[in-house]
């Protein structure tokens, strides 16, 4: 476990200074900055016995579409989708100004040009701006931010009208529907980052409600990959005191595993062992070596075993708890005034007036914070989209996932309240 922490620290960008190049800082995943302690409660879902509890009912999800390809990350799924849409060198892909680099890297890797369009302050796509940038564009990539769907009916109609293909980015929106249709069913293709929603170490998926996925063929990652992915997911559970019984039973095999990994590392002299996709380790980079690799058996099993209804219900409940506790506090406002029916949030986005002060204070307390789009692609500034720059700076996101325990939520809320009040004190 100490090993996990060390790895996270090595990958983190230097504090203070200039934002590093897009491919180095941590992704929209838990940022682990060198000077801050590890988060005291899990930033993303960790495995526990409760993960397998069932809940009644059906919750719509991106996997309701008839075909899916389970891969190792959302960015790989973006690359595969763009390929299926025939995107290659010289093509233009419309991408949002509010983004993380892992959404843009696959576009660039394919030799295409990302064209950044504006979004509104509520994160909805600015279709007027898209209309002004259509020349030569083949694909519109649209993101359902934080679990709140875009006006997908309007986006679909717009794309049909202009002969564009729609790639629906459901990395934050594994669950949910819009106008009675599941998310992911509006795009020609849709992608998700399953590792953001399930207690797994790697995972993304590609679906299509409109095209056959037959041409997308995947190969197995191999035994070492399978073993490492299972062990890593278990370790995340152990780190936050879940799975105590399993931990005791596995103590010996894990000791053996750490020894073997140590040996391997020593032999490879720090060269990256290709056993785990870097996409799982907090980077933005795109590694084509994982393009045609199937997600691990462990992750695929979790996608079957973990109840989506429980996940959806708890995410809504935790989100509402945060909303009730934080709305009306000075120096902040929830990005969304309300939680609409059939929305199952990824995180709780809070607009904070003094983000740097509040962020530093909370990180020092070990409060988990996600900062999606903390670093925008080079050249994307207020002249391109002032709303994106504003959101990028001011919106901090707090976890509301299904594996948070009641007392962990209470603790987090107390800390957030205290930090907001302290930031205002003269
Ligand atoms: C995380 C993320 C991705 C990429 O997903 P990975 O699984 O990390 O590759 C794509 N789009 C958005 C909006 C994301 O937040």
């Amino acid at each position: 476990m100490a090993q996990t922490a060390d790895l996270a620290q090595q990958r983190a960008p230097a504090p203070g200074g200039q934002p590093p190049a897009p491919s180095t800082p941590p992704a929209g995943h838990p940022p682990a900055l060198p000077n801050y302690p590890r988060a005291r409660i899990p930033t993303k879902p960790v495995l526990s016995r409760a993960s397998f509890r069932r809940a009644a009912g059906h919750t719509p999800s991106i996997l309701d579409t008839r075909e899916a390809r389970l891969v190792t990350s959302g960015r790989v799924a973006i690359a595969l989708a763009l390929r299926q849409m025939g995107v290659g060198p010289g093509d233009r892909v419309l991408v949002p100004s509010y983004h993380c680099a892992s959404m843009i890297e696959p576009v660039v890797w394919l030799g295409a040009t990302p064209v950044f369009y504006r979004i509104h302050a509520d994160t909805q796509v600015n279709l007027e701006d898209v209309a002004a940038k259509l020349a030569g564009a083949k694909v519109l990539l649209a993101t359902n931010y934080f679990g709140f769907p875009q006006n997908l009916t309007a986006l679909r109609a717009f794309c049909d009208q202009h002969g564009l293909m729609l790639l629906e980015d459901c990395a934050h929106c594994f669950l949910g529907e819009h106008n009675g249709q599941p998310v992911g069913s509006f795009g020609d293709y849709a992608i998700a980052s399953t590792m953001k929603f399930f207690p797994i170490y790697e995972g993304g998926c590609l679906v299509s409600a409109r095209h056959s996925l037959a041409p997308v063929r995947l190969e197995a990652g191999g035994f070492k990959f399978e073993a490492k992915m299972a062990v890593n997911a278990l370790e995340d559970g152990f780190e936050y005191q879940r799975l105590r019984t399993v931990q005791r039973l596995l103590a010996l095999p894990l000791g053996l595993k750490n020894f073997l990994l140590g040996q391997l590392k020593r032999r490879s002299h720090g060269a990256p062992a290709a056993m785990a996709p870097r996409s799982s380790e907090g980077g933005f980079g795109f590694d084509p070596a994982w393009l045609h690799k199937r997600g691990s058996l462990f992750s695929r099993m979790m996608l079957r075993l973990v109840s989506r209804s429980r996940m959806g219900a708890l995410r809504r409940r935790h989100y509402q708890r945060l909303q009730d506790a934080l709305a009306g506090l000075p120096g902040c406002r929830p990005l969304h005034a309300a939680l609409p029916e059939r929305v199952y949030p990824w995180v709780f986005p809070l607009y904070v007036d003094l983000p740097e002060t509040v962020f530093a204070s909370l990180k020092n307390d070990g409060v988990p914070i996600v900062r999606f789009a903390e670093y925008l692609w080079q050249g994307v500034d207020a002249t391109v989209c002032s709303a994106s720059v504003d959101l990028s700076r001011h919106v901090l996101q707090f976890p509301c996932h299904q594996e948070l325990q009641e007392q962990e939520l209470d603790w987090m809320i107390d800390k957030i309240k205290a930090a907001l009040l302290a930031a205002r004190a003269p």
Side-chain angles (χ1 to χ4, degrees), residues 7-8 12 26 33 55 64 100 144 156 162 189 252 254 272 282 284 304 343 353 357 390-391 397 402 406:
L7 285 175
L33 297 172
D64 288 355
C100 57
N144 298 314
R156 183 69 253 173
H162 296 284
Y189 293 86
L252 191 63
L254 278 181
F284 281 137
R304 279 172 179 272
V343 167
D353 294 341
T357 316
D390 195 55
L391 291 167
Q397 299 114 49
Q402 67 273 13
E406 296 291 313

Side-chain angles (χ1 to χ4, degrees), residues 231-289:
V231 167
N232 285 8
L234 287 170
E235 271 185 340
D236 282 346
F238 299 157
E239 184 169 4
Y240 289 102
Q241 277 71 55
R242 272 75 170 175
L243 298 169
R244 284 228 179 91
T245 322
V246 183
Q247 185 168 13
R248 249 172 266 135
L249 290 171
L250 283 179
L252 191 63
L254 278 181
L256 191 64
K257 185 223 73 167
N258 282 335
F259 172 74
L260 288 174
L261 280 181
Q263 293 294 310
L264 263 176
K265 239 183 249 161
R266 220 157 295 145
R267 250 186 266 169
S268 58
H269 294 288
M275 279 187 296
R278 297 282 311 263
S279 46
S280 294
E281 298 172 346
F284 281 137
F286 176 75
D287 181 356

Side-chain angles (χ1 to χ4, degrees), residues 237-380:
F238 299 157
E239 184 169 4
Y240 289 102
Q241 277 71 55
R242 272 75 170 175
L243 298 169
R244 284 228 179 91
T245 322
V246 183
Q247 185 168 13
R248 249 172 266 135
L249 290 171
L250 283 179
L252 191 63
L254 278 181
L256 191 64
K257 185 223 73 167
N258 282 335
F259 172 74
L260 288 174
L261 280 181
Q263 293 294 310
L264 263 176
K265 239 183 249 161
R266 220 157 295 145
R267 250 186 266 169
S268 58
H269 294 288
M275 279 187 296
R278 297 282 311 263
S279 46
S280 294
E281 298 172 346
F284 281 137
F286 176 75
D287 181 356
W290 294 93
L291 192 58
H292 295 287
K293 292 280 193 285
R294 186 175 298 129
S296 70
L297 181 63
F298 183 87
S299 295
R300 285 180 285 136
M301 236 167 61
M302 289 304 125
L303 255 59
R304 279 172 179 272
L305 294 177
V306 169
S307 160
R308 291 176 213 162
S309 309
R310 173 180 176 270
M311 180 198 291
L314 286 175
R315 282 177 176 275
R316 282 184 63 85
R317 197 211 288 174
H318 295 164
Y319 182 99
Q320 196 62 53
R321 273 274 288 282
L322 285 158
Q323 174 104 357
D324 293 344
L326 303 177
L329 285 182
C332 75
R333 64 178 166 80
L335 183 62
H336 296 289
L339 177 61
E341 290 291 304
R342 313 297 263 171
V343 167
Y344 306 91
W346 169 46
V347 287
F348 178 81
L350 186 69
Y351 188 101
V352 176
D353 294 341
L354 297 171
E356 298 318 326
T357 316
V358 172
F359 178 83
S361 142
L362 288 175
K363 290 297 288 185
N364 277 324
D365 283 343
V367 174
I369 306 179
V370 179
R371 286 189 94 172
F372 169 75
E374 182 181 5
Y375 305 99
L376 299 178
W377 199 260
Q378 197 165 24
V380 180

